[in-house]
Amino acid sequence: MRVAFVLGTTSGGTGRHVRMLAEGLTRRGHQVLVAGPRSVEEQFAYGGTGARFVEVAVADRPRPVADVRAVLALRRVTRDADVVHAHGLRAGALAALGAWGRRRSLVVTLHNALTAGGLVGFVYGVLERIVARRADRVLVVSPDLGDRMTRLGARDVRAAVVPAPPLRPAKRTPREVADELGAGERPILLTVARLAQQKGLETLLDVAAGPWEEAPADGEGRTGRGRPLFVVAGEGPLRGELERRIAAEGLPVTLLGNRDDVPDLLGAATAVVTATRWEGQPLSIREALMAGKPVIATAVGGIPEIVGDAGILVSYGDVRALREAVRTFLEEPGTAERLAAAALRRGQEMPDGDEAAESVLVVYETVRMPRDD
């Protein structure tokens, strides 16, 4: 089978998802083409999977002239494909327009919710309708995305199988990481997120503000287990704003910037915390579960389905509930141990690349139609 993947600018889970699918399909003898911006090939090296990469400038936001060029390019490079599988709303809409008038099987996986307002929000609403009406099947990473696409008239909406890449082993001990962070004996609450509006980091800082009871230092001057240390791994446009508030209020929050040692940080963490406004199936939470770390999170998007009984979930924006969830986890006897055991079980249940590849092949066979050119 000849499969063409289409994706736009991404530095996260969408790019890794496509790479794992490309690996799985080429290993099974299928011909795979990946079309997208040069930046995604530089980061994810799709050519290294046995797939052929073709540069198509799918922009990260509406740009009329560039979008017309992308549609024409996609029409050209996908002409021999049996199935076109686009990832993301913009990539899906441009691929749909590129296939207009042709008998092509089009599958679109939606990885993110529509959160923009104003003119950009209106344009994205139009793109949603194009995908809903033109795609033979829409795969979604969370139930709310599925409900929305069904309301917009999508003919066939199903849950996407999102693979979890194997967790890399830690290179340092938890004690070494804790010492680097200056945590002493304090519990470490880890957040892995881009410093952007979607991630709800202002809520995380509200939670960190406490009040927390401070345990006395031990004989060596190390702080006790009372006040947790919130550690955020990631970079983004809100860094300056967050740093100013952390300094002004003396918050127990450390911004680490981008890190390539997330397994080390997970090893030292007591739990993973996220206050995000919306997520699909975030890699950070799946990695936490595979590491046996409980999750304290907002019950949005696909998070409840992933976490199950391996964490504590609260409504988005409820600072008091999120702070009390942290307190319960840290202070209620047996809670941390029970949730850690559940996290390890959930982590072992995460689908891998082979399961994801098999799932899309089933989809392709059910939607595949003869080509007309």
Side-chain angles (χ1 to χ4, degrees):
M1 188 182 302
R2 289 168 291 191
V3 179
F5 289 117
V6 180
L7 74 164
T9 302
T10 177
S11 60
T14 300
R16 286 186 286 267
H17 185 172
V18 173
R19 181 181 167 90
M20 294 182 76
L21 292 180
E23 286 177 331
L25 296 187
T26 56
R27 193 166 58 246
R28 288 163 172 78
H30 301 286
Q31 296 179 37
V32 177
L33 176 143
V34 179
R38 172 57 53 182
S39 61
V40 299
E41 172 64 10
E42 292 172 350
Q43 180 164 1
F44 299 104
Y46 296 112
T49 69
R52 182 167 70 95
F53 178 80
V54 177
E55 181 177 0
V56 177
V58 179
D60 59 353
R61 58 185 58 248
R63 292 184 173 89
V65 174
D67 288 347
V68 170
R69 290 174 179 164
V71 167
L72 295 175
L74 290 172
R75 186 175 180 84
R76 183 180 67 254
V77 303
T78 64
R79 64 180 179 270
D80 294 327
D82 297 308
V83 177
V84 177
H85 187 170
H87 289 260
L89 178 60
R90 282 185 48 73
L94 296 179
L97 293 172
W100 202 279
R102 290 178 171 176
R103 297 184 67 189
R104 284 288 183 277
S105 299
L106 175 62
V107 177
V108 178
T109 298
L110 296 181
H111 294 263
N112 289 289
L114 175 63
T115 58
L119 179 59
V120 173
F122 171 78
V123 172
Y124 274 90
V126 172
L127 299 183
E128 282 187 315
R129 286 167 172 78
I130 292 173
V131 169
R133 294 171 185 174
R134 299 293 300 173
D136 297 289
R137 179 161 301 169
V138 178
L139 304 178
V140 295
V141 299
S142 67
D144 56 328
L145 284 179
D147 292 342
R148 181 171 178 83
M149 295 307 292
T150 298
R151 289 196 302 272
L152 292 174
R155 70 191 81 173
D156 193 333
V157 181
R158 311 239 179 136
V161 176
V162 180
L167 184 66
R168 293 178 290 118
K171 296 182 179 179
R172 294 181 293 164
T173 67
R175 181 72 270 160
E176 289 172 329
V177 176
D179 287 345
E180 177 210 333
L181 299 175
E185 300 303 312
R186 300 159 64 187
I188 297 171
L189 301 178
L190 174 65
T191 299
V192 181
R194 186 165 183 266
L195 307 185
Q197 185 262 357
Q198 177 193 342
K199 304 302 182 179
L201 295 169
E202 72 285 354
T203 299
L204 184 72
L205 297 195
D206 289 341
V207 172
W212 303 98
E213 292 184 5
E214 188 74 76
D218 62 16
E220 298 179 0
R222 294 182 299 184
T223 304
R225 289 188 57 85
R227 192 186 196 199
L229 175 64
F230 293 79
V231 174
V232 182
E235 196 54 85
L238 295 184
R239 184 181 185 93
E241 177 182 329
L242 296 172
E243 285 180 329
R244 286 189 290 273
R245 182 178 169 193
I246 290 167
E249 300 180 24
L251 300 180
V253 180
T254 299
L255 303 181
L256 298 177
N258 288 328
R259 300 283 292 225
D260 59 5
D261 61 346
V262 169
D264 294 20
L265 298 174
L266 283 170
T270 308
V272 167
V273 179
T274 176
T276 188
R277 288 174 165 80
W278 190 89
E279 292 284 357
Q281 296 191 29
L283 176 63
S284 59
I285 290 182
R286 287 180 288 157
E287 286 184 328
L289 297 175
M290 288 189 289
K293 299 297 178 178
V295 174
I296 304 169
T298 45
V300 296
I303 290 178
E305 184 178 0
I306 298 176
V307 173
D309 63 350
I312 304 175
L313 303 179
V314 303
S315 299
Y316 164 71
D318 192 335
V319 175
R320 178 175 295 182
L322 190 55
R323 187 184 297 126
E324 287 308 309
V326 172
R327 289 189 193 280
T328 296
F329 175 79
L330 294 177
E331 299 174 6
E332 186 176 277
T335 298
E337 293 76 11
R338 173 176 59 80
L339 293 179
L344 195 57
R345 288 196 302 272
R346 294 290 293 179
Q348 293 169 345
E349 296 168 358
M350 296 287 109
D352 59 17
D354 282 332
E355 292 174 82
E358 290 295 337
S359 73
V360 296
L361 284 173
V362 170
V363 170
Y364 300 161
E365 290 294 346
T366 59
V367 302
R368 188 177 175 186
M369 64 181 69
R371 294 183 296 112
D372 61 359
D373 59 342

